[in-house]
Amino acid sequence: MKSHFLKATGLLTGVQTLGVLAAVVRTKLTALLIGTAGVGLANYFNQGISLLSNTTGMGLSFSAVQRLSRLYERERTEEMTSYVAVLRSWALLIALFGTLVCMAIGPLMSLSATGTFSQTALWFWLSPAIGVTTLLGTETAILKGTRRLKALAVTTGGSTFTTLIITVTVYWQYGLKGVVPTLVLCLVAHLLLTFGTTLRQFPYRTAFRHRTFRRAGRYLLGLGIAYMGAGLVGSGADMLIATLLMRLGNVQTVGLYAAGFTLTVSYVRLIFSAVDVDYFPRLSAVMNEEVKAEKLANEQIVVLLAFVSPCIIGLASILPWLVPLLYTSDFLVVVPMVVCAMLSMFFKAIYTPVAYYPLARAESKVYFAMETLYYVALVVAVIGGFVWGERYGLQLQATAEETMSAPVKFGLIGAGIGISVANFLDFVAICATYHRRYNFHFEKQTLRHIAVQFLLVVSVLLAVLFLPTPYHLVIALNLGIASVGYAWQMLVK
């Protein structure tokens, strides 16, 4: 089982990494072909598609996986075929709803962005992208639920290169006028590639009159809306943090925090792709069998830590060179913040497999409540840490002969500590709550693995914070090798 997790995590992380690299190349070529204004316009419409599709999609792409994976595990082929037909029927309705909503609020979106209705037509032509996104999420859920990870990797990789070709071709021919067609065509191409895989297993048909149509819809939407709601709460928390930082500091403060948060989360988050794609369907299939579910969760924790711990060590050690490469030397001020915040990803690797328990049991209210508590803790911890850091920095500057930087730097360090504190509290809350509710326990070897990797990670983070470059690099190299070696030993034992 661990071998499967290792292969799945490696495969999906590799595909995600390839996608990031292709996105970097695509952004560079886009900037050359249509300039910074075109990049900004494309990013604006992309965010609009993401917001509208997440809001109108009802979480269907996530909730569909749970039931489908159980049927797949029990080899109920006929029921699975019927369920896919019902699922596609609901997807069509929700896709149509999303498309109509985009058409209806197009004038409002244009007015809010430009103060005029000049972009209304653009939002009208962009509206099919909302429906296509819903259909794409549903077909992807079918691949996840039936464990076709290689097929998913192939379609994702194919879509990455297809998107690159479409983007360059259309922008080359039409310039700024090609922004909206490019976004729609890229999504359609991805959908067609995915259809090429799923239709071989499940020929396309609908089941609006099927006896389970309404019942399945209530189940799908109930679980999906909770998952979607948690995402919206997260977006609201991010916006609230940015607003409060703006009032406590300035625009520069918000920009530096955003850059630091991106460095902390984005690259390590690639590793977590396997949890959503591979682990959640498997957990859903065995969730009613307590022993199997617990074993599955413990194995996933070991595999995640085997990837995340060396990744944290490697990223932390090269931050002084990585930050100027990705941004400018002005952003070096966020390095201590990122180092302090990186411990949050270690805690996240431990509690994420456990956090999926209520979703696997279709207990959406429990999941939503725990996610809401986390985001409340995140806002309080980050803002509280920022205020504490600024006050501590002012006191330190008043007494020290040599200061590290402007006071805002200490505020960012406090915000970074706050991110780690919030994730630690989430780790404690999830483990305690789900121990009582689902009788989850950590296995002894999992606890041993957590303890060893924690000591290695913390040692490197402290070295990066307090030691000069030559020394912290030597320590990071040696402890990084130790982390990889220990993780490999645990996986093959």
Side-chain angles (χ1 to χ4, degrees):
M1 186 66 70
K2 287 182 186 176
S3 174
H4 170 83
F5 283 146
L6 186 63
K7 291 177 181 177
T9 304
L11 174 65
L12 296 169
T13 301
V15 172
Q16 293 287 335
T17 303
L18 182 65
V20 170
L21 294 175
V24 171
V25 175
R26 188 169 66 249
T27 302
K28 182 70 174 180
L29 293 174
T30 299
L32 292 173
L33 292 170
I34 59 177
T36 55
V39 173
L41 189 63
N43 183 64
Y44 164 69
F45 283 126
N46 256 323
Q47 290 179 341
I49 292 172
S50 179
L51 175 64
L52 289 174
S53 60
N54 288 337
T55 305
T56 62
M58 311 296 181
L60 185 68
S61 60
F62 183 86
S63 58
V65 175
Q66 198 240 28
R67 173 64 177 167
L68 193 59
S69 62
R70 289 187 180 181
L71 294 174
Y72 177 82
E73 188 73 18
R74 297 167 187 171
E75 298 182 351
R76 296 181 179 178
T77 306
E78 292 185 5
E79 289 185 45
M80 194 159 49
T81 302
S82 299
Y83 183 75
V84 168
V86 171
L87 177 63
R88 283 171 168 164
S89 301
W90 276 105
L92 282 174
L93 290 178
I94 294 173
L96 179 60
F97 171 71
T99 302
L100 294 176
V101 167
C102 184
M103 289 180 179
I105 69 171
L108 181 62
M109 298 290 285
S110 176
L111 188 64
S112 64
T114 65
T116 68
F117 297 108
S118 59
Q119 291 185 348
T120 300
L122 294 178
W123 282 104
F124 178 85
W125 292 112
L126 194 67
S127 59
I130 311 301
V132 171
T133 301
T134 299
L135 297 177
L136 175 61
T138 304
E139 297 304 312
T140 302
I142 294 172
L143 293 178
K144 294 178 184 178
T146 55
R147 320 285 169 76
R148 301 188 65 186
L149 299 186
K150 290 184 178 179
L152 180 60
V154 169
T155 56
T156 303
S159 171
T160 298
F161 288 106
T162 303
T163 297
L164 182 60
I165 293 170
I166 291 173
T167 300
V168 173
T169 304
V170 177
Y171 287 162
W172 180 275
Q173 292 291 326
Y174 300 101
L176 278 173
K177 294 181 180 179
V179 171
V180 170
T182 295
L183 295 175
V184 176
L185 287 173
C186 288
L187 284 169
V188 170
H190 194 176
L191 178 62
L192 292 176
L193 286 171
T194 308
F195 266 139
T197 302
T198 56
L199 292 181
R200 296 174 187 173
Q201 186 177 9
F202 301 102
Y204 199 92
R205 65 184 183 90
T206 57
F208 290 102
R209 297 182 179 181
H210 197 277
R211 64 182 184 279
T212 62
F213 177 73
R214 291 184 180 180
R215 185 170 70 249
R218 287 195 297 268
Y219 177 84
L220 285 167
L221 299 183
L223 185 61
I225 288 174
Y227 185 76
M228 180 189 71
L232 292 176
V233 170
S235 299
D238 291 338
M239 184 176 295
L240 180 58
I241 288 173
T243 302
L244 292 174
L245 288 178
M246 179 79 76
R247 299 189 67 175
L248 292 169
N250 49 37
V251 177
Q252 181 191 22
T253 304
V254 177
L256 290 172
Y257 173 82
F261 189 81
T262 299
L263 285 167
T264 303
V265 175
S266 296
Y267 300 104
V268 179
R269 185 177 283 175
L270 296 175
I271 300 171
F272 290 92
S273 59
V275 179
D276 190 25
V277 176
D278 177 64
Y279 167 73
F280 175 63
R282 291 181 176 276
L283 181 66
S284 299
V286 300
M287 194 61 210
N288 292 327
E289 302 176 61
E290 188 177 286
V291 176
K292 288 186 177 180
E294 183 178 291
K295 182 176 177 60
L296 202 65
N298 275 274
E299 289 176 344
Q300 184 66 60
I301 291 169
V302 171
V303 173
L304 278 179
L305 285 178
F307 279 85
V308 169
S309 299
C311 184
I312 292 174
I313 291 173
L315 281 174
S317 62
I318 64 171
L319 276 174
W321 297 275
L322 184 64
V323 170
L325 180 66
L326 295 175
Y327 300 96
T328 66
S329 58
D330 293 336
F331 284 83
L332 281 171
V333 73
V334 305
V335 170
M337 170 199 163
V338 177
V339 174
C340 292
M342 274 189 166
L343 200 57
S344 65
M345 293 295 99
F346 184 87
F347 295 129
K348 188 175 181 65
I350 303 172
Y351 71 70
T352 295
V354 189
Y356 276 84
Y357 264 54
L359 287 174
R361 290 282 293 267
E363 297 180 359
S364 55
K365 293 181 180 179
V366 177
Y367 175 80
F368 181 76
M370 295 300 292
E371 287 294 293
T372 301
L373 285 174
Y374 163 69
Y375 286 116
V376 170
L378 181 67
V379 173
V380 173
V382 169
I383 299 303
F386 181 84
V387 173
W388 170 84
E390 280 209 318
R391 289 179 180 176
Y392 173 77
L394 287 171
Q395 294 172 3
L396 185 63
Q397 286 185 329
T399 58
E401 293 182 1
E402 295 183 0
T403 58
M404 294 175 65
S405 183
V408 69
K409 180 171 185 178
F410 293 95
L412 290 173
I413 292 173
I417 295 173
I419 293 172
S420 290
V421 168
N423 278 270
F424 173 73
L425 293 176
D426 197 29
F427 158 66
V428 173
I430 285 175
C431 293
T433 303
Y434 296 168
H435 168 70
R436 295 186 62 182
R437 190 175 185 87
Y438 305 115
N439 199 30
F440 171 80
H441 299 82
F442 287 106
E443 295 176 353
K444 289 183 178 179
Q445 65 173 2
T446 305
L447 290 173
R448 191 182 307 116
H449 189 62
I450 291 171
V452 172
Q453 294 286 16
F454 180 78
L455 290 174
L456 294 172
V457 168
V458 169
S459 298
V460 172
L461 295 180
L462 291 174
V464 174
L465 280 175
F466 297 109
L467 294 179
T469 299
Y471 298 104
H472 93 240
L473 282 177
V474 172
I475 292 174
L477 178 62
N478 284 278
L479 295 186
I481 293 173
S483 176
V484 173
Y486 182 77
W488 181 256
Q489 183 185 9
M490 285 292 295
L491 292 171
V492 300
K493 188 175 181 180

